[in-house]
Every structure is written in C-alpha cells, then in structure tokens.
Amino acid sequence: MSDDRIVNAGRSGGDRDRSADPGRDGAETERPAASAEDDRSDDAATPQVDVGVLVAHSPGADTRPLRSFAERMARDGVDELASATGAAWRVHCAEPDPLSDGRSRRPSEFLDEAAVHMVERPYDLVVVVTDVPVTTRAERLAEGLASPLSRVVVVSTRRLRRPPGREVVQSLDTPAVRWNAATLLVHLLGHVFGADHDDGGVMVPFSFDATRRSVPPLEADVTDHLRKVAVGIPDGDVSRGRLRRLAFHGASLVRNPGIVATTLLQSRAPLLPLSLPRLSTAAVTPTLILVFSAEAWDVGLNLTNRTAALFALGSIVAAAIHLLYVQRLSFPRERSQVITEHMALVNVTVFYILVVAMLGLFVLVGSIMLLIEFAVFPPNLMTNWPSLEDPTVGLVDLVRVGAFISTIGVLSGALAGGIENRTALRHLALFRDRP
C-alpha cells in the first residue's frame, strides 16, 4: 500500500475556526506524501501527531464505501482530539489492502502490516479499518480494540453496521454508524494514550447508541493527560546496524518499563503453550521416554543444583530467541531500514512473552515429570541403581532429575514444535481485550 492523500485535520490550538478545517465539509487536501515529514518543522512550538489509516477489506468487497467511512471516521475523531490536546493531528490515508479471506481475525493479525507502514512513514499512530469480524482472546466479537504498546487501533465495521440485538444491517454512511465510529475511535485512542474506563466521558465502556449524533466530551483530567502525552510522543528511531538496533531496543525498554510490564502481565504468557498444542506435544513426547531412561537419571542425579538451574535458564532463553527469529515474530517482519521506538517496545515485549511462555512450558512438562516420578516410577528401583554410591534418592534429587528432563523437553518443543507464525500472532496478547 502507498500513501496517496493527507487530510489536514490538525489545529495549532483549541481556538481554531471549525469552518477553516477542510475535513469539515468533506473536502480533502491533496498533497504529495513526502510533504508530511517536511511539515514536522513548520511550527516547532506545536506538537504534531501523524495518524496512518489502513483499510483492510475482504476479497471482492467494494472498497470505496469502506475507504470513505475510514477517512470520515478519522476526521471526526482527530477533530475532537486536536481540540483536546492542542496538537496538530494529521491523517494519512493509504491504498486499501485486500485480505486473503473474510474469516474473523484477532487484532494482532493486522499488526504486521500496520508495523510496516508505521516505520516507513513513520507514523505516530496507526488505525486499521476492516470489514471482517474482529475477535478478542475469548473469541467475542468486538467493534474495535486498541494496543497502547504498539499504538495501533483496529476498528471493525461488522459490529458497527449490525450492533448486538439488531437485525437490520445499517449503511456505513448513516449518522448513527458515523458518530458511533468516531466515538469508538476517540475511545480507543484514549486507551492508547493511557486513559481508562474509569475516566468518564467518552472513555466509559463503549456501546452502540442509535441516537448518538456527536462525540461525548473528554473529561478535564483526561484532556490534561492526553495533552501531556501528545506533546511527549517521541520521534526517536534508528536506521542501521544490528548493534545500534539492539542498543535502541534496550534504551526504549529503559525509558518505558511500565507499559512493557503492564502488557506482559495482561498477556497470560505462562498459559500460551496451552494454546499451541503442537509446541506442547513436541515438548512432552520425548520426555515421556527420557523419564524411564537410565541415562537421563544418571545425568540428572549427578548434576549439581546450580548446573541444572543454569541449564534450564539458558535453554528457556535460547528457546525464546529461536522462536522469535525462526517464526519471524519481530516487527516489522519485512526488512526495514528504520525502526521506531514503539515498534522496538513491541519487539521487546514479544521476546519477554516468549521467555515467560517457555517458562510456562517448562513448568507444564516438569509437573508431568514429577507426577510420573512420584506416582508411576517404582519407588524401590533406585536402591538397586548400579551407578549410585548412595542409593537414597531424596526429594531434591527427584526435582533435579525432573528439571533436567523438562529442560530437554523445552528445547525439543521449540526446535520441533512447528508453530505457524499466523497461529503464534493470534495468541500474542498485545491488544486490550475490551474496547
């Protein structure tokens, strides 16, 4: 997709005349795409927020109504945010991008394309508008979801056109759909900037209102918070060199530890292996053989606790790195010369999610091994083990043997699990689970 138009929806203050806004009467300002970056130096005193709008449509769909809807929703939404933040919000609309099919998708599946456009422009935010259903991790349909970490918002017209409890499918150009979409966009962008449902106004939990004809106001404290965040949006990026990129990722984490930690806590990463059965099967299967193998017991019983712990820790990190690169789970997955700070934060978070997921896999396999050791393995067999100087096998020895075998299982799962990157993307919890 390539950017072909820019809607100048920004203001340099809250007192700008609405009649002077070209987005108000539906007219659009045509400019070369390159001018967006040049405009960043027009007024150094006015913070600027560049929003990319991507239209992802189902095969064979008429893109004109969807694109017109996306542009109008973006104009209506950023108009409210411009007056609230005092920043110049600018909307950049890209060419529609066809999807491979019309099945429902989780918002993480749009993240790769959004990341490509975010680093190529670069954009401060990306709004993806699609006509296919968008689902949460609990497989509930949602009007839209936001990722504060990646600064990406996904809006689905499916639930907006046919809200819950209504049989009639509404047109995209009806006033109810228009203003509910604008309200939803402002609500989701509020989440991106750190606002929550307790903040009132437009931030109350979203529900479709057929009588809505305007965007609810932003509360004063939310407005002050959004203004500070808009002013503080970083322009930092790095363009070349693996070492520089690695250092940039580390520096981005140091500057933004809170949002990475919050996303990690909400990700339920330890349970990720349960959603990836091929990974879990590849990890558990060889351990069911090793736990009854004399060689595995010989090694496990003669390891020191420190060696076993270091072997487990190193293997967990190595398995996460392997999955990150082999499954191409870093963003953008296409080769890019530039990476922005929020994409660096996404990559750091994905890596930590994989580390915690591998730790969860280690615990899962280890629990099975301990169960077999205590409930299945003959208790008196160790007393006749020829390689043991002391035939007594205690609890610590059993745990150490189980940890050793589980570590081999984690490595086997990562190497032979055969995860499809689309499946992995679906389960990366980088988006909020509620609109």
Side-chain angles (χ1 to χ4, degrees), residues 78-380:
V78 302
D79 214 26
E80 300 297 327
L81 290 166
S83 60
T85 61
W89 288 67
R90 299 176 304 178
V91 178
H92 311 262
C93 298
E95 290 292 336
D97 184 43
L99 299 171
S100 59
D101 53 56
R103 64 175 178 83
S104 63
R105 284 168 166 79
R106 291 190 183 178
S108 297
E109 295 181 70
F110 297 97
L111 188 56
D112 188 34
E113 188 69 21
V116 171
H117 286 267
M118 182 172 284
V119 299
E120 284 181 350
R121 187 82 200 169
Y123 296 134
D124 299 307
L125 308 162
V126 170
V127 177
V128 179
V129 180
T130 183
D131 59 349
V132 301
V134 171
T135 61
T136 66
R137 285 175 304 208
E139 298 300 333
R140 295 191 303 267
L141 292 177
E143 295 87 353
L145 296 169
S147 171
L149 177 72
S150 62
R151 296 184 193 158
V152 173
V153 166
V154 178
V155 175
S156 171
T157 62
R158 184 66 62 93
R159 283 289 292 267
L160 290 171
R161 295 184 63 189
R162 187 175 180 178
R166 297 176 183 268
E167 296 297 330
V168 178
V169 179
Q170 305 180 76
S171 173
L172 289 175
D173 57 4
T174 60
V177 173
R178 172 186 177 178
W179 291 108
N180 277 279
T183 300
L184 175 64
L185 179 61
V186 175
H187 178 92
L188 294 176
L189 290 177
H191 284 317
V192 169
F193 285 142
D196 210 340
H197 290 151
D198 297 332
D199 293 322
V202 73
M203 293 311 302
V204 298
F206 176 82
S207 62
F208 190 93
D209 183 358
T211 63
R212 181 173 283 144
R213 294 299 181 268
S214 63
V215 178
L218 288 161
E219 299 294 333
D221 54 345
V222 177
T223 298
D224 293 340
H225 175 71
L226 294 184
R227 184 175 292 113
K228 293 177 182 178
V229 174
V231 171
I233 287 180
D235 293 327
D237 57 59
V238 65
S239 59
R240 62 172 62 89
R242 292 186 178 182
L243 290 179
R244 286 189 60 194
R245 288 198 174 203
L246 183 60
F248 183 68
H249 279 74
S252 299
L253 173 62
V254 171
R255 288 192 294 266
N256 304 273
I259 190 170
V260 173
T262 300
T263 305
L264 185 61
L265 290 174
Q266 295 174 350
S267 68
R268 295 181 292 184
L271 302 180
L272 183 60
L274 300 179
S275 301
L276 303 171
R278 295 175 67 178
L279 173 70
S280 302
T281 301
V284 172
T285 301
T287 62
L288 295 177
I289 300 174
L290 290 175
V291 73
F292 294 104
S293 167
E295 290 78 5
W297 279 83
D298 280 340
V299 174
L301 289 172
N302 288 282
L303 283 176
T304 64
N305 293 335
R306 181 168 179 244
T307 301
L310 290 176
F311 178 47
L313 180 61
S315 298
I316 288 171
V317 174
I321 294 174
H322 173 79
L323 291 176
L324 181 69
Y325 285 99
V326 171
Q327 302 300 330
R328 299 176 61 206
L329 296 178
S330 59
F331 297 93
R333 290 194 289 172
E334 293 185 10
R335 185 180 297 273
S336 175
Q337 294 298 319
V338 177
I339 185 168
T340 59
E341 182 172 80
H342 29 296
M343 280 299 104
L345 290 174
V346 171
N347 292 335
V348 171
T349 305
V350 169
F351 172 69
Y352 280 120
I353 287 176
L354 291 175
V355 169
V356 177
M358 292 302 99
L359 180 60
L361 181 62
F362 175 81
V363 173
L364 172 64
V365 178
S367 300
I368 297 174
M369 295 302 101
L370 288 177
L371 178 63
I372 292 176
E373 289 176 354
F374 283 106
V376 178
F377 205 85
N380 296 324

Side-chain angles (χ1 to χ4, degrees), residues 29-65:
T29 303
E30 298 286 336
R31 302 184 190 174
S35 65
E37 296 179 2
D38 297 337
D39 288 345
R40 281 192 178 272
S41 59
D42 288 349
D43 186 359
T46 304
Q48 297 176 352
V49 182
D50 288 301
V51 182
V53 178
L54 312 181
V55 175
H57 62 88
S58 55
D62 186 0
T63 62
R64 288 174 297 178

